[in-house]
Amino acid sequence: MTHHDYRTTDVPVAGGDLRVAVWEPQGEVQHTVLAIHGVTSSHLAWPFVVQQLPGVRVIAPDLRGRGASNTLPGPAGMAAHADDLAAVLDAFDVDLVSVVGHSMGAFVAVVLAHRYPQRVSRLVLIDGGLPLNVPAGVDPEQLVPLILGPVAERLSRRWPDVEAYTEEFWRRHPAFADDWSAELDAYIAYDLVPDGDVLRAATSSDIMADDVIDMNTGSALPDALAALSVPTLFITVPRGLQNETPGLYAPAHLADLLQRYPAVDHVHLDDLNHYTVVMSPRGAIALAHLVRPVLV
């Protein structure tokens, strides 16, 4: 049973329009959440989480270069995305909001709170937002394959139809072996756009590369973390993008981060990977138990 009505709208930003989804609760709006998706994702990463948040209005953009915002030009980077999201808050007349970010969206959330401190009341960072453990001296051009692996390779491929895309990439994806759903089917179909007589993933590979380089080597994130002042919950999971262990935050690296940022609250959720923490019923239920009590 749904507790929300879903719609999309376009919000003017630098260079064009940003597609934004809104899930309006059926009844009184108790809270509003800005939900920010990951590096090659879209707003359709969020339906499972939305279902677990009755009474909460969820505003979720397709970030610049992704989903139905894929024709917006770059360069991107964390600050550019933060500026886009400030425009979204303006368009919805939202003065102050709790922000939930997943993966790269968590990095964007941290920078948004730094650039627009009067607009963000709280951060929930899901398997992202604190620095990744990137080896010193790695060439920036190698960051994308190093961090994203097959996720980045997918952007260079073409498919004849949705069925081929689903079977050749997603059905074989180890992250979803035990968590396939109708919502995932919808997410996959939305991810494709025409490219001549074939289809490609919507995400712009150039903007994606700009973002990965910026969030790992740019100044926006370290500056934002150094000035972090809003209550922040950091949620990690044990397995990564390919359902591998360790995940994005290996235990030793995680311990170092928590020592470096003692004001950040941390919760580790077991038996989930980088995708299923938001894109499965069990992940969304676990997240909602953490998110609902901290909404302001």
Side-chain angles (χ1 to χ4, degrees):
M1 179 178 178
T2 181
H3 302 283
H4 296 80
D5 296 316
Y6 165 80
R7 64 185 174 91
T8 63
T9 189
D10 291 329
V11 172
V13 295
D17 289 333
L18 195 78
R19 179 62 51 86
V20 181
V22 188
W23 285 272
E24 295 279 1
Q26 297 172 349
E28 181 184 359
V29 177
Q30 300 169 8
H31 303 283
T32 296
V33 165
L34 177 66
I36 314 173
H37 66 71
V39 67
T40 64
S41 191
S42 73
H43 75 269
L44 284 184
W46 294 110
F48 282 119
V49 175
V50 172
Q51 290 168 19
Q52 299 300 321
L53 297 175
V56 177
R57 176 173 61 166
V58 178
I59 300 171
D62 286 346
L63 292 178
R64 179 178 296 263
R66 285 86 173 172
S69 305
N70 74 91
T71 60
L72 278 170
M78 302 304 99
H81 291 304
D83 292 346
D84 288 346
L85 295 178
V88 170
L89 297 180
D90 289 342
F92 284 90
D93 294 321
V94 174
D95 294 326
L96 188 67
V97 70
S98 298
V99 181
V100 177
H102 172 234
S103 189
M104 191 196 81
F107 294 87
V108 174
V110 172
V111 175
L112 175 66
H114 184 220
R115 291 177 69 83
Y116 299 92
Q118 75 280 12
R119 311 299 295 272
V120 177
S121 60
R122 179 176 294 273
L123 294 175
V124 178
L125 311 177
I126 306 168
D127 219 31
L130 297 190
L132 301 178
N133 190 19
V134 176
V138 173
D139 187 287
E141 299 303 319
Q142 295 302 311
L143 285 171
V144 171
L146 176 67
I147 295 171
L148 298 181
V151 173
E153 187 268 340
R154 168 175 60 95
L155 302 186
S156 67
R157 296 185 60 186
R158 300 295 182 266
W159 286 270
D161 50 38
V162 174
E163 290 74 19
Y165 183 45
T166 302
E167 292 301 322
E168 292 178 28
F169 183 83
W170 292 101
R171 279 288 183 182
R172 301 177 184 180
H173 200 300
F176 295 104
D178 299 319
D179 290 280
W180 201 266
S181 64
E183 288 83 356
L184 183 56
D185 282 324
Y187 172 89
I188 292 166
Y190 184 76
D191 187 48
L192 289 175
V193 296
D195 184 14
D197 295 332
V198 293
L199 300 170
R200 65 171 177 84
T203 297
S204 162
S205 57
D206 289 341
I207 289 181
M208 180 270 294
D210 287 343
D211 287 337
V212 171
I213 292 169
D214 181 62
M215 76 182 190
N216 287 283
T217 67
S219 62
L221 180 67
D223 289 349
L225 287 170
L228 189 63
S229 59
V230 300
T232 300
L233 174 62
F234 177 49
I235 300 168
T236 57
V237 293
R239 300 197 296 278
L241 281 75
Q242 297 295 311
N243 205 40
E244 79 283 6
T245 55
L248 267 64
Y249 295 93
H253 178 58
L254 176 61
D256 289 342
L257 290 173
L258 297 179
Q259 185 175 30
R260 194 187 317 172
Y261 303 106
V264 172
D265 294 325
H266 172 248
V267 174
H268 185 77
L269 294 177
D270 290 327
D271 196 31
L272 292 162
N273 63 51
H274 184 73
Y275 285 104
T276 57
V277 65
V278 295
M279 295 176 66
S280 72
R282 58 197 180 91
I285 290 169
L287 279 181
H289 283 305
L290 299 174
V291 171
R292 280 196 300 262
V294 302
L295 293 179
V296 293

